[in-house]
Amino acid sequence: MASLKQKLKRLHRRNSKRHVLLLFLVLLAFLGASGVARYYAFVPLRLMDNSMSPGFKERSVIWMCQLPNCLTHFEEGDIVLESRPGNEKMIRKILGQPGDTIKITDQGRVTTPRTNFKWKQEDTFIQSRAFYVPKAGDTLVFDQLNDVEQDYVIGYLRNKGQHIIIQTTLWQGEHEINLDRVGSTKIANRQVSLNEIDFLPWQDRFLIETQIRQSEPGNAPIALKRKIFRGSKKIIPQNPPTIKDTLVQDSLANQDSLTPQVVEEIIDPINTIVIEDDCYYLVCNKGSNCPDSRETGYVTADKITGRIMETPTRFQNSVIAPTIRKTQTAARLASELISKAVNAVTEFFNSEESNEEKDAEKKPPKTSKIKLPKGAK
C-alpha cells in the first residue's frame, strides 16, 4: 500500500506544472550553454586551402578551443587561430616563441632553438637571414636590426596604430650617394620608382642593392638605410582659392567642391622601440605562396584567439568525415539505381504499348455484314 502511494506521488509530481516548468528551464539552460560553448568556447573551422598540408587537407575541419586556459603557454608546433584585420581568421603553426632566434636559409633550411628541418618549396627568403622574435619588455634599437627585423618591427608599430613615416638613403660604404641611382634598377622587368622605395619589402631592396653593386665601381658595399619617424596626417584643401574682400561669399561657396589633400607631418624620430606584448612567429606548413609571418611579421599574443583541439579534430577527420562521405556516396548510388529502375520500368511499359499499337495496325479491319430479307438473293 505504501509503495502504491509513493508511485502515485511520483506520477503526480511528474505531471505537475511546476515539474514541467522546471524541465523546460533546465532544457533552456542546456541549450543556452551549448550555444555559448559552440560559438565562444569551441569553434569548428573548415580549411579552404591547402596551406596546412600535408598535416591537414583542404576542406578538412579543425576544432579550436577559445577558453582562457587554451590561450596561454603556447609551444612551438602548436596549431593556433590567428585573427587578422577585417575579421579574417587564419589557421597557422607556431614556429618561433618569444625570445627565440630563427634562421632561414635560401635553401629552405630552418633552425630554431628547439628544431632544425628542411622546409620544402620555401621561396620567401631569397637570402639567408637570422632574426629575433621579441618578448614583452624587450627594447630594440632600430639601427642595429637587419633588414628583415626592420620590416617586422615597422609592421609591429603599425599594427599598434602608430603612423610611421620611412625615409630611405643610399650608401656606398661610409659615403652617401644620390638616391636617384635607384631609378636605373629593375624589379620584375619594370623600373623602380623613387616613390615606392620606402615601402618595398626587404627582398626587393636586396635585389636593388645587388644591381647597384654590380654597376658601381669600387669594393665598398651598397646599402639602402632607413630611418623611421612618428608622423601625423593633416588634411588640407587642394589649391585653395584666394579670398578677397569682394568675393568672400563666392570663395566660401566653392570650398565645398575642393578635393582634400593629405599631407604627412613628421613628429619625432624613432630609434628605440619597447615591445609591449609577447610576439610569435606563425607559419604555414606549405612553403610557397602562403601568407604568414614571413610577409606580415610578428603576431602578438592578443591576436591568437584559439588553439587546436586534437582529439575532436582527429575524430572529426578520421571518423565523422569519412562516414559522411560514404553516406553521401551510398545515397548517390541508391539514387542512380532508383533512377535506372524507373527508366527501365517506363521503357518496358512504353514498349508494351507500342507492340499493342503495331498488332492493331496489322489486323485487317472488320467488315460489317448486311442482313438481307428472306427470299432476297
Side-chain angles (χ1 to χ4, degrees):
M1 194 70 181
S3 60
L4 181 60
K5 290 183 178 180
Q6 291 178 357
K7 289 181 180 179
L8 290 175
K9 287 182 180 179
R10 282 198 298 267
L11 290 174
H12 180 71
R13 187 168 54 252
R14 288 179 183 177
N15 296 325
S16 64
K17 293 182 179 180
R18 182 181 299 177
H19 184 72
V20 173
L21 179 60
L22 180 61
L23 288 178
F24 175 76
L25 294 177
V26 171
L27 180 61
L28 189 62
F30 177 76
L31 292 176
S34 300
V36 170
R38 164 62 179 81
Y39 290 101
Y40 296 99
F42 311 111
V43 179
L45 296 174
R46 185 178 297 276
L47 286 175
M48 303 308 296
D49 55 24
N50 60 350
S51 60
M52 298 303 292
S53 63
F56 300 94
K57 298 180 180 180
E58 185 177 358
R59 301 198 64 79
S60 61
V61 175
I62 296 181
W63 280 86
M64 288 289 173
C65 174
Q66 294 185 321
L67 294 173
N69 61 337
C70 295
L71 303 180
T72 56
H73 306 296
F74 296 112
E75 296 181 357
E76 183 175 337
D78 285 347
I79 306 297
V80 297
L81 180 64
E82 176 191 355
S83 296
R84 295 190 176 185
N87 201 25
E88 182 182 10
K89 296 185 182 298
M90 308 290 288
I91 297 174
R92 295 291 180 259
K93 180 176 69 175
I94 294 180
L95 179 64
Q97 299 176 232
D100 287 351
T101 297
I102 302 174
K103 182 179 180 181
I104 304 179
T105 69
D106 55 349
Q107 302 298 322
R109 177 65 61 182
V110 180
T111 303
T112 71
R114 288 162 296 277
T115 186
N116 188 341
F117 65 96
K118 180 71 165 57
W119 198 349
K120 295 181 180 180
Q121 299 180 346
E122 201 289 314
D123 59 357
T124 301
F125 281 75
I126 60 176
Q127 194 186 36
S128 301
R129 289 289 189 275
F131 52 90
Y132 175 73
V133 182
K135 59 182 181 296
D138 282 345
T139 300
L140 306 179
V141 180
F142 190 79
D143 292 342
Q144 298 177 3
L145 304 178
N146 60 31
D147 47 4
V148 179
E149 293 171 325
Q150 287 184 354
D151 276 4
Y152 293 165
V153 167
I154 292 173
Y156 169 84
L157 294 175
R158 285 176 172 166
N159 288 335
K160 288 294 183 182
Q162 299 187 31
H163 181 62
I164 303 299
I165 297 176
I166 305 172
Q167 289 185 354
T168 304
T169 54
L170 180 63
W171 294 76
Q172 185 174 24
E174 300 298 327
H175 302 284
E176 184 178 359
I177 59 179
N178 196 333
L179 190 62
D180 293 340
R181 183 69 183 80
V182 173
S184 62
T185 59
K186 291 184 178 181
I187 296 177
N189 295 324
R190 65 172 182 82
Q191 294 294 131
V192 178
S193 170
L194 291 179
N195 295 328
E196 63 178 336
I197 189 62
D198 295 331
F199 309 100
L200 292 177
W202 72 271
Q203 297 94 330
D204 292 341
R205 295 197 305 275
F206 171 75
L207 294 176
I208 292 173
E209 294 171 350
T210 302
Q211 294 179 55
I212 297 176
R213 186 180 300 112
Q214 292 175 350
S215 60
E216 287 292 331
N219 296 323
I222 299 294
L224 287 167
K225 297 183 180 181
R226 291 183 295 181
K227 293 183 179 181
I228 58 175
F229 305 84
R230 287 189 180 87
S232 64
K233 292 183 178 180
K234 182 179 180 182
I235 300 178
I236 60 174
Q238 187 177 7
N239 300 323
T242 303
I243 301 178
K244 297 182 180 180
D245 294 338
T246 56
L247 300 174
V248 172
Q249 298 298 328
D250 293 339
S251 299
L252 292 176
N254 292 332
Q255 284 183 358
D256 295 335
S257 61
L258 297 176
T259 303
Q261 182 181 9
V262 178
V263 177
E264 293 184 336
E265 294 183 347
I266 294 176
I267 298 178
D268 58 340
I270 303 174
N271 194 40
T272 302
I273 301 100
V274 178
I275 303 299
E276 301 176 0
D277 306 304
D278 284 336
C279 298
Y280 293 86
Y281 200 79
L282 307 184
V283 296
C284 310
N285 283 340
K286 181 182 175 183
S288 60
N289 301 321
C290 184
D292 54 19
S293 286
R294 290 173 293 172
E295 297 181 6
T296 59
Y298 307 128
V299 178
T300 54
D302 61 315
K303 300 299 182 183
I304 300 178
T305 57
R307 176 189 287 178
I308 188 173
M309 301 174 65
E310 295 184 359
T311 300
T313 299
R314 193 181 302 113
F315 182 76
Q316 167 76 30
N317 295 326
S318 62
V319 178
I320 297 179
T323 303
I324 292 176
R325 286 195 295 269
K326 290 179 181 178
T327 304
Q328 292 174 346
T329 303
R332 186 175 65 254
L333 292 175
S335 176
E336 292 177 357
L337 290 175
I338 293 172
S339 178
K340 290 180 180 179
V342 170
N343 292 335
V345 172
T346 304
E347 291 177 359
F348 174 76
F349 283 108
N350 290 337
S351 63
E352 289 290 334
E353 292 178 358
S354 62
N355 291 334
E356 291 178 358
E357 292 176 357
K358 290 179 181 179
D359 294 340
E361 291 176 356
K362 290 179 181 179
K363 290 181 180 180
K366 294 182 179 180
T367 56
S368 59
K369 297 180 179 180
I370 303 175
K371 292 183 179 181
L372 298 175
K374 292 181 179 181
K377 294 183 178 179

